[in-house]
Amino acid sequence: QDITPELVELGRTLFFDPILSATNDRSCASCHNPELAFTDGQARSVALGRTGTLTRNAPTLVNAALARRFFHDMRAMRISDVIAHVVTNEHEFNSRLIDVVGRLRTSDEYTALFARAFRVPNATAIDAPNIGIAISAYLTTLVAFNSRIDRYLRGEHVGITDAERRGFDLFMGKAACATCHFPPTFAGYVPPAFTESESEIIGVPLRPAIAHAVADPDPGRAGGIVRENAIIYRGSFKTPTVRNIALTAPYFHNGAYDRLEDVVDLYVRGGGAGIGLDVPYQTLPFTKLELTERDQRDLVAFMEALTDTVGLTRRPTHLPRSSVPALNTRVVGGLY
């Protein structure tokens, strides 16, 4: 299926439409707000019906389409699998794909949008695979490599501060950040082919304590796909991008850290093992970083300069109407 403007626009509409959820009040944008680089500002996302929270923090979707594995525990191999997981999860959309198809087919406007995007002349274009294809097509457009740092490195007439320059040198060198957060994505997409997504064991605690820290029991990758249920993957989580990190707090899979400065401090101390947790398979390439307070401030300055969501935040102006009146109370992006 070619990625056409019609397919992308259909995917954008579906992404912001709560018709995908059983309650018709939650959309993909509920946990992936464009203004927050497609995160939600919560430690853990709000569950369907406001009945508590999900188990993990919502990751950014900017450049996510470049990955080869998805979710913090890397359990999904394709974006379409991610969509199916979310739609059917009882705490997220609590729906069935066949029911979503049925609701979409009550809309003549959606029927026309699918027919145009998939070049099929009737409602049969609305099916579960095509829903995934359309949303996936939209996600492939959420790509950003145009921060001030990018433009400076390309030789454009854009300046960066001395602190940002020093932070870049530290990130790539002494601080060893780039041993896991590989440029140009600054995520765990491994060069030179960028066809592998890495995970790491950092030993992130339940809260940002230094004394009397408490380990997070989340099994991470060991609780993902069955063949990776191994001790070497326990507590291992997909290495996220640090692009747009100024917009995506709280941090880590559990949203334990509100401040980027405290995240840097955890790494400086040597991760979970460095604050007294038992992390026998921790994968940090050092036990402690010898960074000054200025070094740490410079690292933060550099990472915050990697902000760029220009051209990615446009929402649909309206949602397609349905022949079922109860479905026409939906709002763009969902209620919560």
Side-chain angles (χ1 to χ4, degrees), residues 24 66 98 123 185 192 218 220 241 281 301-302 324 334:
N24 297 299
L66 304 176
I98 192 171
T185 61
D218 192 325
T241 183
Y281 295 96
F302 163 69
V324 179

Side-chain angles (χ1 to χ4, degrees), residues 82-100:
V82 175
I83 296 163
H85 276 272
V86 172
V87 169
T88 58
N89 186 302
E90 63 179 318
H91 301 297
E92 296 187 64
F93 288 179
N94 193 30
S95 196
R96 297 187 306 165
L97 289 169
I98 192 171
D99 293 332
V100 173

